[in-house]
Amino acid sequence: MDHARQVFTVDLLERYATKGRGVITAMAAGNDVIVLGTSKGWVIRHDFGVGDSYDIDLCAGRPGEQSIHRVFVDPGGSHCIATVVGAGGAETYYTHAKWSKPRVLGRLKGLVVNAVAWNRQQITEASTKEVVLGTDNGQLYEIAVDEKDKREKYIKFIYELKELPEAFMGLQMETASLGSGTRYYVMAVTPTRLYSFTGIGLLERTTFLYQAKKSDTFCVAFRSSNPNGDNFVENKALLDYSKLSEGSEVVKPTSMAVSEFHFLLLIGNKVKVVNRISEHIIEDLHFDLTSESASRGIIGLCSDATAGLFYAYDQNSVFQVSVNDEGRDMWKVYLDMKEYAASLANCRDPFQRDQVYLVQADAAFSSRDFQRAASFYAKINYILSFEEVTLKFISVGEQDALRTFLLHRLDNLTKEDKCQITMISTWATELYLDKINRLLLEEDSAVENHGVEYQSIIQEFCAFLSDSKDVLDEATTMKLLESYGRVEELVYFASLKEQHEIVIHHYIQYKFAPDLIALDAYETVESWMGTKNLNPRKLIPAMMRYSSEPHAKNETHEVIKYLEFCVHRLHNEDPGIHNLLLSLYAKQEDDSALLRFLQCKFGKGRENGPDFFYDPKYALRLCLKEKRMRACVHIYSMMSMHEEAVALALQVDPELAMAEADKVEDDEDLRKKLWLMVAKHVIEQEKGTKRENIRKAIAFLKETDGLLKIEDILPFFPDFALIDDFKEAICSSLEDYNKQIEELKQEMNDATHGADNIRNDINALAQRYAVIDKDEDCGGINVEAGAGGLGLRVGNLASAAAAIGF
């Protein structure tokens, strides 16, 4: 990692920090205070906050060599506990920042204190409150000291590990104030076990709860987030030390410290920084050791949780490990683990949040959960453009998801984005109308249109119109509603905009159309055809209602008559009118009118006019539903989906398939592929004998005008087809060709054309039928079967002529 981007940095704080009082054996820190223990029994205190330091000799009056075993300082930097080990045994002392002389804790004489848990929630500068001490023989004690008393208030024995006596290596205590008293939670660690104790009232009344074998792993989180429960451990996980080893041998850390997001693990003479969430090593920290310290190396780590600093120390020097915004990349760590909520919580700017939303959106899109994808895409503001998102949904034909995206995007815009709000609202209006139209056209009858989904989308659309009435352009919106024939919604929007004249006009001209056509369809349609400036689109609901009712087979369908009048006489180009007429044609027993309608080029009267105004996808979907297969073939062909057209035509009429295959003139490869589809179908459908089928297949090749050769169709025959079958079929076909050539020779003798022209005709015919070298077998046909299938060896034209006896 680049140094400028390093999360942790190492600086030398002080060389030869003990000032001749021995070498460093222990260290603790809290609130910008560090306390060092030395091999000669001295405690050296540095208060960086006030720039003060002093030394305390804990071996005064004790015989022989003395060494500080452990030293502990509270988070506030006021209280210190140290254990001295020497020839006379172990002794534990307490000292306060304001004291110049330590106090021995007499009841602990002979006990080696390995761990201390401070009451972080209640401790003050003047009083330690309850403190838990853990010894190397598996005992727990509770003490309390008030600074003004100059001595401990009490020392109590509270617990002992009897089943498996081991040294306590680490302790932590959390408390919470409840109505019934103070709740204590204590976690204790031994070399092989993790213990937890909890209780209310007094520490000595806490009860043993839990133990777990630790071996090569350790717990990574501990928080007092549940004061009312039995277990305060939150987000616990285990880290396997083998992940930290470069070789096959697992190396355990000799010391560790924990920051908000990382572990600092001392392994050898360097510290590995491991992300607590991803469990990946992000950095290795190295230390500048003196020659006299290099042999033992770094002794340990300690942390100052109050100041947010970490320290490492060897025999002579103290190093400061500083944290540089360790949470800056945590959003990416959580994102890589698909922990999206945590990733968003750790984002620092909109660009990072955009990347989280993008990953979620792309994942939902890939799994085809388009609605969910739309909601996430709508939250992206910078790294993906509006156009890119809309094109994604358009490319997969997801109109509903596109509408959802637009609606969510509207929610994220502010009043200052007025133009964009109007544009998106108008687009959303059209998508609503398209959805309603699709629901209408996909149903079998107008009555069924009042289903749950249809009614739901209508209500949603009306609510949208009401919410957006002030941002939608009035003229554009009314034109849209009118073009889709949504009369009721047009009247509703007009009333929202207080366009009362439009409302009144609607009720006079269109509202009663359904009742009139139901009473007398003929007279109603006649009146419509005789009325100028009538918008047929507005009559669609009335026509659909009438069309849904049963009619006699021989009865002239009045709606079809009116729609044909609109299309052919009025040259109406409204897609809704064309779609409705097409749907009515598709429901007729005779599909001739449907086919004529599909083949009609409605825009041919003007330059570059379109061939049709109906929706081809809707037309295809409808014709498939109504099983109008010839119509489907035409639509496939019109949409340049020639393979689909031929495949479907083969199910209807092979002759139709051949006609479709011949329509492709500008793509020789595609045309050959289509003819192969036809050939395969013809061969597989033949029910005659093998030789008869082969003969028919060879005759089929004539239909392709030389596009297909016999080697092209060989794979379509079963593996058990014999070479002799082909030989006999080819010979039989050759006899027919010979007869034609003989007839041509006779015509040559009788004709007035020159001999050269006749010979050219004969040679051309011989070449066309690929007559091959003559030999004694099978009428002069030489057939070879190679590894790639049947091969025909064709000679030159002279050989061909000789082979047929010319």
Side-chain angles (χ1 to χ4, degrees), residues 209-221:
L209 278 182
Y210 171 78
Q211 70 176 23
K213 186 175 181 181
K214 283 181 58 59
S215 66
D216 293 334
T217 58
F218 55 86
C219 188
V220 304

Side-chain angles (χ1 to χ4, degrees), residues 547-649:
S547 301
S548 67
E549 298 172 354
H551 300 279
K553 290 184 178 180
N554 297 327
E555 180 183 350
T556 301
H557 202 305
E558 297 299 330
V559 169
I560 292 180
K561 182 175 72 175
Y562 177 67
L563 292 172
E564 289 175 339
F565 171 79
C566 294
V567 168
H568 298 295
R569 295 284 298 277
L570 301 180
H571 303 292
N572 185 288
E573 298 179 358
D574 190 328
I577 295 297
H578 284 252
N579 284 339
L580 180 56
L581 179 55
L582 186 146
S583 69
L584 297 178
Y585 280 147
K587 288 180 171 62
Q588 293 182 327
E589 293 183 4
D590 185 358
D591 63 357
S592 57
L594 173 62
L595 292 172
R596 286 196 302 271
F597 178 77
L598 292 173
Q599 293 165 1
C600 183
K601 296 185 178 181
F602 294 99
K604 62 184 179 181
R606 64 175 189 263
E607 186 177 357
N608 297 323
D611 289 348
F612 54 86
F613 296 104
Y614 53 85
D615 181 352
K617 292 182 180 178
Y618 164 71
L620 179 61
R621 189 165 60 248
L622 179 67
C623 291
L624 286 172
K625 179 181 178 182
E626 298 294 336
K627 295 182 172 55
R628 304 302 180 197
M629 297 309 175
R630 288 183 177 272
C632 293
V633 171
H634 176 84
I635 297 170
Y636 276 134
S637 179
M638 176 264 297
M639 296 171 68
S640 297
M641 299 173 68
H642 299 292
E643 292 184 47
E644 289 82 355
V646 170
L648 185 59

Side-chain angles (χ1 to χ4, degrees), residues 49 68 118 125 137 226 355 363 412 420 475 522 660 698 788 801:
I68 302 296
W118 305 96
E125 183 182 356
N137 64 349
N226 183 19
Q355 292 182 65
N412 296 334
Q420 192 174 6
Y522 175 81
E660 288 298 324
I698 295 173

Side-chain angles (χ1 to χ4, degrees), residues 515-529:
D515 296 327
L516 290 173
I517 195 172
L519 290 172
D520 193 330
Y522 175 81
E523 292 295 340
T524 301
V525 168
E526 288 295 320
S527 68
W528 287 351
M529 291 191 294

Side-chain angles (χ1 to χ4, degrees), residues 43 81 129 183 305 314 396-397 524 538 584 639 672 742 797:
V43 170
I81 295 174
K129 300 299 181 181
R183 185 180 190 89
D314 62 18
V396 294
T524 301
K538 296 181 179 181
L584 297 178
M639 296 171 68
K672 183 174 182 179
E742 289 296 330
L797 189 57

Side-chain angles (χ1 to χ4, degrees), residues 325-342:
D325 190 16
E326 65 171 321
R328 67 190 177 212
D329 293 325
M330 288 307 299
W331 71 273
K332 187 69 170 62
V333 172
Y334 283 115
L335 181 59
D336 291 341
M337 298 174 66
K338 295 182 172 56
E339 296 286 345
Y340 301 122

